[in-house]
Amino acid sequence: MVECGKNIMIGDDSEDIGRVFERYLKAVGYNAECIRNDCDLIYGAVCDMQPDIVILSVTLTENRIAELTMKIKTSFPKVKVVVLTYVASPKLCREITDSGAERCVVMPVSLHELGCLLGDVMRDKYIFDFDPIIIDFLAGFGFRKNMAGFRYLCTAVGLCLLNPEYAADITRSLYVKIAELHDTQPSLVERSLRHLCESVHKSGADEKMLCDRIIGSFDKRLTNAELIIGVTDVFAERFNLY
């Protein structure tokens, strides 16, 4: 008998990809079943199986993905939904997560990454859905990925996009949440972000251009709050999230 939390239903437009996922998940201990990606067929199968996780690897229109996700979550709140999409759009990811999906991930995803993803979903561990896009966005301004503050800034931006209230209480809420997600201490999060701010102040033209965009000055050093809120606003404006 397969233990609770291990029952996976896969809806996929490509039977080949879905079957690869199915075989891998069975090999690592899940009870997985792949079906054709059709909204009515998937919903009917969810009603019959009531799986722990539904994986939707889809090229359906974003409205149909969101509608199906909302229908599943409304009828079966305990069923977790993971959407794998080929469209690298923060707006689409946000619409899908707003409809109730636990995760919206841009393909391609390796089999190992899929296994880690499902483990995180079952443990309700948050990994921000837009991470690859935020990473590319910040790297494009010259932020150094090898600094601990870089990862914390990516997470901070993601959290503030999903819940703007974090930006109103950075010390007591945002740092604490980031520390929880990265298995560290809030004081280390604050310090790493402060070092990142110092790096921005001493660095090249691209980062200073972002600094000027945020506070209107090349010369003044950004505070942690100014960096987080400013980058979040610039990112949201760039991808039309507000």
Side-chain angles (χ1 to χ4, degrees):
M1 182 176 179
V2 178
E3 63 184 283
C4 179
K6 292 284 190 174
N7 297 298
I8 313 292
M9 193 187 76
I10 306 163
D12 197 285
D13 290 337
S14 168
E15 185 173 333
D16 291 340
I17 295 176
R19 295 300 177 193
V20 170
F21 285 169
E22 180 184 58
R23 287 195 296 271
Y24 171 76
L25 292 173
K26 285 181 176 178
V28 296
Y30 288 97
N31 178 30
E33 180 176 343
C34 179
I35 66 172
R36 181 170 55 84
N37 234 351
D38 173 87
C39 289
D40 293 335
L41 185 62
I42 291 171
Y43 183 74
V46 172
C47 292
D48 292 338
M49 296 171 54
Q50 295 192 29
D52 298 294
I53 300 178
V54 176
I55 299 174
L56 301 176
S57 177
V58 295
T59 55
L60 297 169
T61 65
E62 57 191 74
N63 289 338
R64 293 186 66 197
I65 299 172
E67 288 171 4
L68 176 59
T69 300
M70 185 175 294
K71 187 175 182 180
I72 292 172
K73 296 296 291 185
T74 299
S75 300
F76 305 99
K78 293 184 179 180
V79 174
K80 298 179 183 294
V81 178
V82 174
V83 176
L84 307 180
T85 176
Y86 292 88
V87 181
S89 165
K91 182 179 180 182
L92 172 59
C93 286
R94 186 166 186 172
E95 288 176 355
I96 290 172
T97 53
D98 284 348
S99 71
E102 274 66 29
R103 295 293 304 280
C104 175
V105 180
V106 178
M107 292 284 275
V109 174
S110 71
L111 295 177
H112 174 71
E113 289 170 332
L114 178 65
C116 294
L117 167 66
L118 295 180
D120 289 336
V121 168
M122 291 312 301
R123 292 191 298 270
D124 291 326
K125 183 178 179 182
Y126 172 92
I127 301 178
F128 183 56
D129 306 303
F130 303 162
D131 246 1
I133 304 170
I134 294 176
I135 289 171
D136 289 345
F137 176 78
L138 292 178
F141 277 103
F143 286 95
R144 294 200 293 272
K145 294 182 181 180
N146 62 337
M147 298 187 69
F150 182 92
R151 289 297 303 171
Y152 299 153
L153 179 59
C154 289
T155 303
V157 172
L159 289 169
C160 290
L161 286 169
L162 289 178
N163 184 359
E165 292 183 3
Y166 278 116
D169 194 0
I170 287 177
T171 301
R172 291 180 298 178
S173 290
L174 186 59
Y175 290 161
V176 171
K177 186 62 177 179
I178 295 171
E180 175 189 325
L181 298 174
H182 289 273
D183 297 321
T184 187
Q185 299 297 317
S187 60
L188 294 178
V189 172
E190 186 277 332
R191 187 184 313 158
S192 296
L193 286 168
R194 181 158 30 90
H195 290 164
L196 187 64
C197 287
E198 292 170 356
S199 170
V200 170
H201 185 60
K202 297 175 182 177
S203 64
D206 287 340
E207 285 171 292
K208 287 187 175 180
M209 181 177 69
L210 181 61
C211 177
D212 182 59
R213 175 79 179 276
I214 293 171
I215 60 174
S217 172
F218 284 145
D219 300 319
K220 178 185 173 184
R221 185 175 73 83
L222 288 167
T223 66
N224 287 4
E226 287 171 337
L227 179 67
I228 292 167
I229 295 171
V231 169
T232 301
D233 286 344
V234 173
F235 180 86
E237 181 181 326
R238 171 75 61 86
F239 291 98
N240 195 29
L241 295 180
Y242 290 161

